[in-house]
């Protein structure tokens, strides 16, 4: 009795072309493209809008949801920090009140910075999952698209 599989035995791996029928290279690399700061956001929107392959659209949607979530957190932090600073230039409040108002804003700033660094990790995980055929939802990201 031979333990070596014969060429006629079925294999669990599929040949390359049939794998690409289920998942596309663009569906995999959309996560790598999304890493780029501004170009990634625009490219992800374009890929989501023009793609007709469900796997590519699902991965682009997930990458776009994450990108919008992280970009929104940076934008909210920016608006709050500079908006409140401008407001406090015209409205005189005691220092303790200003500090109490700014503490949540600084917490949001730390969260936004953490999300920026965490993005590299989740983009790598999402691309690895896409290679194996899964459209992975990014953690914490709400469904925006």
């Amino acid at each position: 009795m031979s333990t070596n599989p014969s060429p006629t035995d079925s294999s669990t791996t599929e040949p390359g072309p049939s794998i690409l029928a289920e998942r596309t290279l663009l569906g995999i690399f959309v996560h790598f493209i999304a890493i780029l700061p501004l170009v990634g956001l625009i490219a992800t929107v374009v890929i989501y809008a023009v793609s007709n392959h469900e796997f590519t659209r699902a991965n682009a949607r997930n990458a776009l949801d994450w990108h919008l979530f992280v970009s929104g957190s940076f934008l909210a932090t920016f608006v709050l920090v500079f908006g409140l600073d401008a407001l406090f230039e015209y409205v005189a409040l005691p220092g303790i009140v200003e500090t109490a108002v700014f503490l949540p804003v600084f917490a949001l700033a730390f969260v936004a910075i953490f999300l920026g660094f965490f993005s590299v990790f989740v983009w790598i995980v999402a691309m690895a999952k896409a290679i194996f055929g899964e459209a992975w939802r990014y953690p914490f990201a709400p469904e925006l698209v």
Side-chain angles (χ1 to χ4, degrees), residues 18-57:
S18 66
I19 287 177
L20 292 179
E22 298 169 10
R23 52 189 180 254
T24 62
L25 290 176
L26 191 57
I28 294 168
F29 288 116
V30 70
H31 302 287
F32 180 74
I33 294 167
I35 291 174
L36 305 170
L38 182 62
V39 176
L41 178 62
I42 295 167
T44 307
V45 169
V46 170
I47 291 169
Y48 179 74
V50 301
S51 177
N52 57 2
H53 195 279
E54 187 56 37
F55 181 75
T56 303
R57 284 183 61 82

Side-chain angles (χ1 to χ4, degrees), residues 70-88 101-102 104-106 108-109 112:
V70 173
S71 298
S73 69
F74 276 102
L75 182 64
T77 301
F78 180 81
V79 167
L80 284 172
V81 166
F82 290 105
L84 287 174
D85 185 49
L87 177 67
F88 291 150
V101 170
F102 269 112
V105 175
F106 287 132
L108 178 63

Side-chain angles (χ1 to χ4, degrees), residues 35 66 70-71 73-74 109-123:
I35 291 174
W66 179 259
V70 173
S71 298
S73 69
F74 276 102
F110 285 118
V111 168
I113 292 168
F114 169 77
L115 288 174
F117 286 116
F118 189 60
S119 292
V120 175
F121 172 74
V122 295
W123 278 321

